[in-house]
């Protein structure tokens, strides 16, 4: 009898059978990692040598998890009884194994560990790094190159920018000076840094656009914008304002009639036209004022015509003259806008190219490569004439199977590498005994990394490419969809399907146009999806401006009230023993995940509310190191060691956790002192034990600060001098991570810059170091607050989506035309066709990714999903998450319920009608699934997983 679990296993087996190239479209929670692992195991069971298998993943965590799973299965096969092993192999392959197959399975663990070269399971960046290490001369990189981290790359790019700007300002490079002057007309300093960052991220596209030289680039840009070879904004304006450029006689007649009209509107517009026609020498200066007679403030033609209806009917010739002039002016506006965009884009491209060239020289002088270099130089190596065939031959002789994980997140340059590696896979296939295969697993619905240039359309395009290659070689090709979810209960999946059944929600999510459907393996398990009514702004009282502010009234922002409601709801679940019926146990803090789109003030409010409610919370997935209290204490101590006369800094050090002076003691020390606070402390060191300890330790540190490196100094403070113990006792165990990252930063600084304490503190405070934290660690029973991007690949029994009524509004600083040319839209008025198309495409892609982000967020929930939101003073924009979820839940038959948080929150609460979609518990509850250990967590990660350190993809 067929069951959902059995059907899912059969579908997965069809995906990982080793004889065919397979493209797997795996929806969320359908066992993607299991399929990948089983694919590798079946290849190994077929006696494929481990070095001939290449597994490319998206992150280090994914590579580690896959390696752990393979290693755990292989090591267990060595020791389990024959009967159990036979059952596992039959479940894996669908065939009953014989004695030889059992022996082969038991030998695999040793074979994998002992294989020369090992099996590569790595990120695409790590694979590119190993490829460049193997062929450095062919790739044109130093054999001893080192990889830059994100902080070093950012610093080097900033230094290159400053060097180019200095050269431009000095007058030594007139071309750069002109480009800088043009950019300064349209951009502030902070905006310019953002523009350069965008250009650096699109380095490959910029180099391709400039590959034929700047002259050809300018010609192509002008052609795209509809400009002639010498057209400029000033020239277009002068030509439009020259005598004879318009029907002056018709316009003068129209202006005279409008001024004599009884309509005030006609009189104002007629006066503007008459004034512009009156002085031909100043028409260019007053051109923008002249446009006000024909266009609204938004730049649109007047909807009711350019003159009143009665005048237009009496004098149709005048109305016609004005309409003709409006058409002419619209064309002028578009051409002038095109010329401004062209000049600004040329200047930006020229300056960005100079900065990137300086950045490249900086790296070349120091034998450094950044993350983008790894991909771009590996791609160039694999397509370099005369060299690429030999490199591909060396690789080709060593690979039989390529597996690509999270294929939807692969960007075009990374796809080029995969395509080039597999180029010879399907030629001469009949002469080989072992078929060579490509296996890719991904989900276009979960493509949310556009900032890393991931393109879900490329995922579909590459599927067609490999299908054509495999079919041309007459090899086996298979497309396998996986839509049976092992993660979520029926209630959650029904809500997801209903939301994305709406066309406005599915646009950009279902790329093939088909319906989005999921089936639950966990049929019969209790689940719930709730849509809470939004939090409205509190009504403000009308206060007489002359009234004295004698009455205190506390108001909370809507987001703060929602944060408080979520925190107290979790606290209530814990206090009342709220049960997860599907798991037959009470709710724990670690069951809850709160997903946000952005790390804004709501996150701060939520973490504060959770801590005030005494709910264990892991904080957020990223933190600014210099904003952590423990790090601020360390930096304050360092500042004192540099300048002991700084009384305020010394006071904060003494009051902090390292010395713990009370308010009374600090006041006693500081009050009535005649000199510096440090001098007073030395003078009164024998008055109290606290003063004696502080004076002795600070004196010893002052004596050592000028002679030891920053890392050694702070490591001594935290360990030998018990500083870590003091900080943790004051601030809690969560201060341990920032302290560890602080020491790591000290080491990183010393490797790159030397051993200056003052330099380290300046470097740390100026760089705004952002630390990424892994909140998916086993054994931490804490609420997790993550962005949806950070939660990719994670899950939780209970998920809250709080900020669902805001939509992305931030426009990209620079766009790209259909022909791959950069466009800086310095003017939004009357955009030419190419710029308008680029802007509309960018907006469409942003909105589509916004909807895919909702899909990822909803599918993180396994048992319960709570969708919330708050309104500001403005109406929520159309097409927001809350609106889509509400429409979907109503279509799915969700039941309304009375929502009342006033009882829990008092004045900060709110009431309304919510929607609830539930499924009852009809099956036996199942325990929580065991978790795969993290690297270093007790399960051996074999050396073949880490032949090259797999770096994280750069944001």
């Amino acid at each position: 009898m067929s069951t959902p679990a059995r059907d899912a296993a059969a579908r997965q087996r069809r995906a990982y059978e080793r004889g065919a190239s397979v493209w797997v479209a795996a929806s969320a929670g359908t066992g993607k990692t299991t399929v990948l692992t089983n694919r590798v195991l079946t290849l190994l069971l077929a006696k494929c040598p481990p070095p001939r298998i290449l597994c490319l993943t998206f992150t280090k965590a994914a590579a580690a998890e896959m390696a752990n799973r393979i290693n755990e299965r292989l090591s267990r096969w060595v020791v389990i009884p024959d009967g159990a092993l036979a059952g596992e192999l039959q479940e894996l392959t669908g065939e009953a194994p014989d004695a030889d197959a059992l022996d082969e399975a038991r030998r695999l663990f040793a074979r994998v560990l002992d294989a020369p070269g090992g099996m590569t399971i790595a990120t695409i960046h790590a694979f590119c790094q190993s490829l460049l290490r193997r062929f450095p001369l062919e790739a044109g990189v130093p054999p001893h190159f080192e990889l830059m981290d994100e902080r070093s790359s950012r610093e080097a790019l900033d230094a290159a920018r400053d060097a180019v700007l200095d050269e431009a300002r000095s007058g030594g490079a007139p071309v750069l000076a002109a480009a800088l002057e043009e950019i300064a007309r349209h951009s502030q300093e902070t905006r310019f840094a953002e523009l350069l960052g965008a250009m650096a991220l699109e380095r490959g596209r910029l180099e391709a656009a400039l590959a034929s030289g700047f002259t050809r680039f300018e010609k192509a840009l002008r052609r795209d914008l509809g400009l002639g070879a010498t057209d400029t904004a000033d020239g277009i304006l002068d030509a439009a304002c020259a005598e004879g450029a318009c029907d002056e006689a018709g316009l003068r007649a129209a202006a005279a009639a409008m001024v004599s009209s009884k309509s005030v509107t006609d009189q104002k517009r007629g006066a503007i036209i008459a004034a512009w026609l009156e002085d031909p020498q100043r028409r260019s200066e007053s051109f923008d004022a002249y446009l006000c007679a024909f266009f609204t403030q938004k730049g649109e033609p007047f909807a009711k015509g350019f003159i009143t209806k009665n005048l237009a009917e009496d004098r149709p010739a005048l109305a016609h003259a004005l309409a003709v002039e409006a058409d002419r002016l619209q064309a002028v506006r578009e051409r002038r806008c095109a010329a401004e965009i062209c000049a600004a884009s040329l200047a930006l491209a020229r300056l960005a190219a100079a900065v990137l060239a300086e950045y490249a020289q900086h790296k070349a002088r120091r034998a450094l490569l950044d993350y983008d270099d790894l991909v771009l130089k590996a791609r160039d190596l694999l397509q370099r004439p005369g060299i690429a065939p030999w490199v591909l031959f060396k690789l080709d002789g060593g690979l039989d199977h390529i597996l690509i994980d999270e294929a939807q997140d692969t960007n075009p340059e990374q796809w080029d590498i995969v395509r080039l590696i597999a180029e010879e896979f399907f030629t001469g296939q009949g002469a080989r005994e072992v078929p060579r295969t490509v296996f890719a697993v991904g989900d276009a619905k979960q493509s949310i990394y556009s900032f890393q240039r991931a393109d879900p359309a490329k995922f579909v395009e590459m599927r067609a490419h490999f299908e054509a290659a495999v079919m041309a070689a007459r090899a086996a090709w298979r497309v396998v969809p996986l839509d049976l979810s092992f993660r979520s209960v029926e209630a959650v999946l029904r809500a997801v399907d209903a939301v994305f059944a709406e066309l406005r929600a599915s646009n950009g999510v279902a790329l093939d146009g088909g319906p989005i459907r999921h089936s639950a393996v966990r049929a019969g398990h209790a689940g719930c999806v709730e849509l809470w009514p939004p939090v409205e702004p509190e009504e403000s009282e009308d206060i007489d401006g002359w009234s004295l502010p004698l009455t205190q009234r506390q108001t909370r922002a809507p987001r703060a009230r929602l944060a408080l409601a979520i925190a107290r709801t979790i606290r209530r679940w814990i206090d009342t023993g709220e049960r997860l019926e599907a798991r037959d146990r009470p709710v724990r803090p670690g069951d809850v995940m709160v997903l946000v789109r952005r790390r804004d003030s709501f996150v701060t409010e939520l973490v504060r509310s959770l801590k005030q409610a005494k709910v264990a919370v892991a904080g957020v997935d990223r933190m600014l190191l210099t904003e952590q209290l423990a790090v601020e204490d360390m930096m304050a101590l360092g500042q004192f060691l540099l300048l002991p006369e700084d009384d305020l800094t010394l006071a904060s050090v003494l009051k902090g956790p390292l010395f713990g002076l009370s308010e009374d003691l600090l006041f006693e020390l500081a009050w009535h002192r005649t000199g510096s606070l440090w001098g007073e402390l030395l003078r009164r060191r024998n008055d109290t034990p606290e003063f004696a300890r502080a004076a002795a330790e600070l004196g010893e540190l002052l004596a050592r600060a000028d002679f030891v490196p920053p890392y050694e100094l702070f490591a001594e403070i935290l360990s030998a001098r018990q500083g870590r113990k003091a900080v943790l006792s004051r601030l809690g165990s969560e201060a341990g991570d920032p302290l560890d990252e602080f020491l790591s930063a000290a080491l990183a600084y010393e490797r790159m810059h030397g051993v200056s304490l003052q330099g380290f503190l300046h470097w740390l405070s100026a760089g705004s170091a952002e630390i990424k934290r892994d909140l998916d660690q086993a054994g931490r029973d804490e609420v997790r607050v993550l962005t949806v991007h950070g939660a990719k690949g994670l899950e939780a029994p209970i998920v809250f989506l709080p900020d669902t009524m805001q939509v992305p509004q931030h426009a990209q600083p620079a766009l790209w035309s259909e022909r791959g040319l950069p466009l800086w839209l310095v003017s939004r008025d009357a955009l030419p066709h190419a710029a308008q198309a680029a802007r509309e495409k960018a907006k469409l892609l942003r909105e589509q990714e916004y909807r895919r982000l909702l899909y990822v967020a909803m599918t993180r929930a396994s048992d319960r999903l709570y969708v919330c939101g708050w309104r500001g003073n403005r109406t929520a924009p159309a097409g927001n998450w809350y609106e889509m979820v509400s429409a979907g839940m109503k279509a799915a038959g969700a039941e309304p319920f009375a929502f009342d948080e006033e009882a829990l929150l008092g004045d900060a609460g709110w009431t309304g009608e919510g929607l609830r979609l539930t499924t009852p518990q009809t099956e036996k509850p199942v325990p929580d699934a065991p978790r795969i250990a993290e690297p270093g967590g007790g399960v051996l990660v074999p050396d073949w997983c880490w032949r090259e350190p797999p770096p994280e993809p750069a944001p």
Side-chain angles (χ1 to χ4, degrees), residues 54-272:
L54 171 62
C55 304
L56 297 178
T57 65
F58 190 63
T59 63
K60 289 190 299 183
E65 182 176 1
M66 188 174 176
N68 274 328
R69 292 196 185 194
I70 294 172
N71 186 55
E72 189 272 337
R73 292 283 291 278
L74 294 180
S75 62
R76 196 157 55 85
W77 285 358
V78 175
V79 297
I80 62 176
D82 286 349
L85 179 58
E88 284 201 22
L89 295 182
Q90 184 166 359
E91 178 73 19
L92 180 66
T93 63
E95 301 174 357
D98 55 19
D100 291 340
L102 295 178
D103 291 341
E104 177 67 21
R106 295 190 189 279
R107 287 193 292 265
L108 280 179
F109 185 60
R111 182 176 299 165
V112 167
L113 292 180
D114 296 340
M119 178 172 61
T120 302
I121 300 178
T123 65
I124 185 72
H125 291 88
F127 171 74
C128 292
Q129 185 177 352
S130 65
L131 182 66
L132 296 177
R133 295 281 188 202
R134 187 174 176 185
F135 304 102
L137 300 181
E138 294 82 356
V141 300
H144 58 289
F145 75 83
E146 294 183 5
L147 185 62
M148 304 171 73
D149 58 24
E150 297 171 16
R151 173 75 180 267
S152 301
S153 300
R154 189 165 58 249
E155 289 178 351
L157 192 61
D158 290 344
R161 179 197 64 202
D162 294 342
V164 170
L165 293 181
D166 288 342
E167 184 180 5
R169 285 193 291 258
S170 67
V175 175
L176 292 180
L180 179 59
E181 183 180 355
E182 177 66 27
I183 290 176
R185 292 178 55 235
H186 306 289
S187 176
Q188 297 177 347
E189 182 180 357
T190 55
R191 180 71 169 172
F192 176 59
E194 185 181 0
L195 284 165
L196 280 184
M199 289 291 102
L201 182 65
E202 299 282 6
R203 187 188 319 166
R205 296 174 78 176
L206 181 62
E207 291 175 353
L210 300 176
S212 300
F214 206 85
T215 301
R216 291 190 178 183
F217 165 68
E218 182 175 354
K219 288 181 179 179
L221 186 59
R222 287 182 173 275
R223 187 165 56 250
D224 269 10
L225 294 172
L227 296 172
T230 59
D231 285 343
T232 63
D234 290 340
I236 292 170
L237 181 59
D238 291 341
C241 296
E243 292 189 62
C246 61
D247 179 10
E248 294 192 21
L251 290 173
R252 290 183 191 279
M258 294 167 72
V259 170
S260 303
S261 171
K262 295 180 180 180
S263 169
V264 176
T265 301
D266 281 343
Q267 293 172 11
K268 288 182 178 180
R269 295 177 187 171
I272 292 173

Side-chain angles (χ1 to χ4, degrees), residues 549-572:
L550 301 177
T551 303
Q552 184 177 10
R553 183 175 183 271
Q554 183 179 14
T555 60
R556 290 181 182 268
R559 67 179 67 194
R561 293 161 61 198
L562 179 58
L564 185 63
I566 293 174
R568 293 193 180 177
T569 297
I570 298 171
R571 180 72 261 171
R572 182 180 62 201

Side-chain angles (χ1 to χ4, degrees), residues 431-482:
R432 294 182 59 92
E433 295 181 0
V434 179
R436 308 166 87 185
T437 66
V438 170
F439 177 90
V441 58
D443 183 10
K445 301 189 296 297
Q446 299 186 68
S447 180
I448 58 174
Y449 291 101
S450 63
F451 57 88
Q452 292 180 336
R453 303 193 57 244
D455 184 359
K458 194 70 176 179
F459 175 74
V460 178
E461 177 186 329
M462 293 307 298
R463 183 182 71 180
H465 167 81
F466 282 115
E467 181 178 7
V470 173
M471 300 303 290
R474 298 183 180 180
W477 170 260
R478 193 176 294 156
V479 177
V480 179
L482 297 180

Side-chain angles (χ1 to χ4, degrees), residues 311-326:
L311 185 57
E313 291 175 350
D314 292 343
R315 308 283 295 274
L318 302 183
H320 176 71
L322 292 173
V324 170
E325 177 67 358

Side-chain angles (χ1 to χ4, degrees), residues 39-41 43-44 48-55 66 118-121 398-403 947:
R39 174 81 175 191
V40 174
L41 292 174
L43 292 175
L44 293 173
C48 176
R52 292 184 178 272
I53 300 174
L54 171 62
C55 304
M66 188 174 176
M119 178 172 61
T120 302
I121 300 178
L399 293 178
D400 284 332
H401 305 280
I402 299 178
L403 292 83
R947 286 195 307 164

